Amino acid sequence: MNIEEGMRLAEKDAISYGNEHSLKYKSAPYFGHIVIDNFLPFHVAEKILDNFPLEPLTNDLLFKENSFERNKRQISPYDCSTEALIFFLFFNSKPFIQFLESLTGINGLFGDHSFGGGGFHETKKGGKLGIHADFRIHPKLRAHRRVNVLIYLNKEWESSWSGNLELWSPDMSEMIDSIEPIFNRCVIFNTEEDAYHGHPNELLVPDGVTRKSIALYYYTGSPSIYGEAHNVSTIFKAKPDDNALIKIKSLKQNLKERYFSLNQWMPPILYYFAKSIKNKRNK
């Protein structure tokens, strides 16, 4: 099997795996979410854990004494080993995106190449993350955050350590689920304005034990881009010494592009009226 055949098989399997869990995801109460155990091949999950950086790194983002976030560490994949970074880049690959799209029903997803806010997460003894709804606009990409993926890396986790991820209803009247962060368990959910979640109880782990996870965020573009950038397709230009046929084709292509852009500005009734006239002329 060559690389191209392998990629096609991976994409097919990814879509099938997403479709297999899609109904459960979409029918979850309040907002789309699912818990999948043994998410990664076991040896892959172990390799990722082996590459979890135990010592502090230069660019770690630390939350020490905050009412809502405490004793938490965020680690950029770009500060980690090459092997760890390769795993993170896979999570932005086409097969993984296709799995998420088929699972969630959200098309046009893409990963964040900078892993802003994501990467490896670690919470130490006494730490917590209050119930919250996530930011929904990427500050640099200006993209719409749509899906969260969390993968836990905690072996021999004890329920008494109080590190469960809690999902709450929009009005905070009901806890939807309480999820232990056990090894190779994946939680995926829609990033909606009222998709409240967190692990709000202080960790009661023994000394030397921490709560470890991977956090990944996925985005879609905004339809309003059509009002900001008018080149919907590539525009070719004829040179002065090109023959007449090329010049005519260039002119027709540019007129077509300008016509198409009308639907971004005209009221729908006027646009479809203009389109109907054009279609009659072409008959």
Side-chain angles (χ1 to χ4, degrees), residues 2-283:
N2 60 34
I3 294 176
E4 185 177 350
E5 290 171 338
M7 285 299 294
R8 281 201 297 267
L9 181 61
E11 291 170 15
K12 183 179 178 181
D13 289 346
I15 293 170
S16 176
Y17 190 56
N19 287 334
E20 179 184 336
H21 293 86
S22 182
L23 180 61
K24 184 175 181 180
Y25 185 93
K26 293 176 183 177
S27 61
Y30 299 110
F31 54 88
H33 61 271
I34 196 169
V35 179
I36 304 176
D37 286 337
N38 303 311
F39 182 66
L40 299 171
F42 186 79
H43 72 280
V44 172
E46 283 208 312
K47 276 287 186 182
I48 294 174
L49 178 58
D50 289 343
N51 282 272
F52 195 105
L54 301 179
E55 299 300 322
L57 301 176
T58 304
N59 298 311
D60 286 354
L61 187 58
L62 303 175
F63 301 87
K64 293 183 178 180
E65 294 297 333
N66 182 301
S67 298
F68 296 105
E69 292 182 273
R70 186 183 306 157
N71 290 358
K72 179 185 172 185
R73 174 189 178 211
Q74 288 180 197
I75 308 159
S76 169
Y78 292 103
D79 291 336
C80 300
S81 67
T82 300
E83 191 170 17
L85 178 58
I86 289 172
F87 286 124
F88 275 96
L89 294 178
F90 163 75
F91 292 126
N92 281 350
S93 69
K94 185 177 179 181
F96 197 80
I97 295 292
Q98 288 178 313
F99 156 68
L100 290 177
E101 289 184 336
S102 61
L103 173 72
T104 64
I106 302 172
N107 293 321
L109 288 171
F110 57 88
D112 174 14
H113 64 280
S114 67
F115 300 102
F120 282 127
H121 286 189
E122 182 179 35
T123 307
K124 296 183 178 180
K125 186 175 183 178
K128 66 176 185 176
L129 176 62
I131 301 299
H132 64 285
D134 288 314
F135 71 87
R136 299 177 66 220
I137 299 175
H138 193 291
K140 292 184 179 179
L141 298 177
R142 302 293 192 267
H144 183 184
R145 181 169 160 189
R146 304 296 300 277
V147 178
N148 282 15
V149 175
L150 306 176
I151 304 171
Y152 293 107
L153 301 172
N154 307 296
K155 288 189 172 182
E156 300 177 2
W157 186 263
E158 299 285 343
S159 301
S160 60
W161 292 346
S162 191
N164 286 17
L165 173 71
E166 297 180 3
L167 306 182
W168 283 79
S169 63
D171 62 0
M172 292 297 294
S173 64
E174 176 188 359
M175 185 168 66
I176 306 168
D177 205 350
S178 179
I179 304 159
E180 281 193 84
I182 62 174
F183 184 72
N184 205 14
R185 170 172 282 174
C186 180
V187 182
I188 305 173
F189 58 94
N190 286 354
T191 315
E192 299 179 5
E193 63 180 351
D194 51 10
Y196 293 114
H197 62 283
H199 55 97
N201 300 314
E202 291 189 1
L203 281 184
L204 305 176
V205 291
D207 292 337
V209 176
T210 61
R211 182 184 188 274
K212 300 179 181 70
S213 63
I214 287 173
L216 304 156
Y217 310 137
Y218 297 87
Y219 297 80
T220 57
S222 170
S224 65
I225 188 65
Y226 291 106
E228 301 172 15
H230 306 303
N231 288 15
V232 177
S233 60
T234 305
I235 297 178
F236 292 96
K237 285 288 187 179
K239 292 165 50 180
D241 57 348
D242 281 335
N243 62 44
L245 180 59
I246 291 178
K247 290 180 179 180
I248 291 172
K249 286 184 175 180
S250 174
L251 179 61
K252 287 181 66 177
Q253 191 268 340
N254 282 293
L255 288 173
K256 182 179 179 181
E257 171 66 28
R258 289 177 182 274
Y259 174 79
F260 182 86
S261 68
L262 287 176
N263 72 5
Q264 316 304 328
W265 298 98
M266 294 174 64
I269 190 170
L270 291 180
Y271 169 70
Y272 287 111
F273 177 70
K275 188 175 181 180
S276 66
I277 293 176
K278 178 177 180 291
N279 290 338
K280 287 179 181 178
R281 288 177 178 175
N282 290 337
K283 287 182 179 180

